[in-house]
Amino acid sequence: MSVTPPLCPECQVVTEPVTVEGEQVWRCTAPDCTRRTYGTGDEDDDQDLPGYTETDERGAVVCFHGTGDVDFEATTELAAQDAPADEDQDDAPLPAPAAAAWEPEAREIRVKDLAHVLAGGWVRIYSDPPEGWRYFTEAAYDPDHDTTVAITYSDGEVEREWPWPQALLVHAGPDTFPTTTRPGPARLIQR
């Protein structure tokens, strides 16, 4: 019985099978795409893929979400744990964690999940106009009491959005601006 490899949900390139924690999943074969998928055609299924780590060409360990997106928080935390704990160390600045060398990614997220982002970022809600990138500082959503998500933007404006639409999220500071309109490299420019 032959199984036809599914296309990558990101770039539509043929995938190859890999075994992750005893399960067969599919990995994109494009050199600039790290996307993984169960190959069911339902992207919600892919959110359950187990995370993994890889070592880059400099020897730094990089953490990935199961879908293949870089997990910046976990990578930074891991780099901090691996840092030497020498009490006699002078106060010289520490080198940036390995994740800082990676280009920020624009990744898809539901509006309701913005409430779980610890330190703001750039968001573009798909229902907004194409120039809809805005820097948000906070998002609040309590499904037991609210029907909408309250998003506070850097200009102080608070807007209420439905929790279900998809959005793009880029973890980057307010001094840059993303130019992408789809998931993948964020292509940041200085403001």
Side-chain angles (χ1 to χ4, degrees), residues 58-134:
R58 295 176 308 202
V61 177
V62 180
C63 301
F64 292 87
H65 295 286
T67 57
D69 297 323
V70 176
D71 185 341
F72 291 102
E73 290 92 10
T75 301
T76 303
E77 184 177 320
L78 186 61
Q81 290 173 359
D82 290 341
D86 185 3
E87 293 180 12
D88 296 332
Q89 184 178 8
D90 53 358
D91 291 331
L94 295 173
W102 288 74
E103 183 174 358
E105 291 281 321
R107 58 188 178 100
E108 285 189 327
I109 185 172
R110 293 236 184 245
V111 170
K112 66 180 183 172
D113 295 329
L114 293 173
H116 301 292
V117 176
L118 298 177
W122 288 97
V123 66
R124 179 179 176 271
I125 300 170
Y126 283 148
S127 60
D128 287 350
E131 66 278 356
W133 281 110
R134 293 185 73 186

Side-chain angles (χ1 to χ4, degrees), residues 26-187:
W26 302 91
R27 175 178 57 202
C28 183
T29 58
D32 59 342
C33 184
T34 58
R35 185 69 155 89
R36 290 184 175 195
T37 181
Y38 277 123
T40 63
D42 183 356
E43 289 200 24
D44 289 338
D45 289 345
D46 291 345
Q47 298 307 316
D48 296 329
L49 282 161
Y52 62 98
T53 60
E54 288 183 359
T55 304
D56 68 10
E57 63 276 356
R58 295 176 308 202
V61 177
V62 180
C63 301
F64 292 87
H65 295 286
T67 57
D69 297 323
V70 176
D71 185 341
F72 291 102
E73 290 92 10
T75 301
T76 303
E77 184 177 320
L78 186 61
Q81 290 173 359
D82 290 341
D86 185 3
E87 293 180 12
D88 296 332
Q89 184 178 8
D90 53 358
D91 291 331
L94 295 173
W102 288 74
E103 183 174 358
E105 291 281 321
R107 58 188 178 100
E108 285 189 327
I109 185 172
R110 293 236 184 245
V111 170
K112 66 180 183 172
D113 295 329
L114 293 173
H116 301 292
V117 176
L118 298 177
W122 288 97
V123 66
R124 179 179 176 271
I125 300 170
Y126 283 148
S127 60
D128 287 350
E131 66 278 356
W133 281 110
R134 293 185 73 186
Y135 190 82
F136 79 99
T137 56
E138 183 181 0
Y141 175 62
D142 181 356
D144 295 330
H145 300 99
D146 298 328
T147 58
T148 58
V149 180
I151 303 173
T152 305
Y153 292 101
S154 60
D155 61 4
E157 183 179 358
V158 177
E159 287 190 10
R160 292 199 157 283
E161 298 282 351
W162 291 109
W164 307 284
Q166 290 287 98
L168 285 178
L169 171 67
V170 175
H171 288 287
D175 57 333
T176 59
F177 186 82
T179 61
T180 190
T181 57
R182 63 185 195 99
R187 297 180 200 96

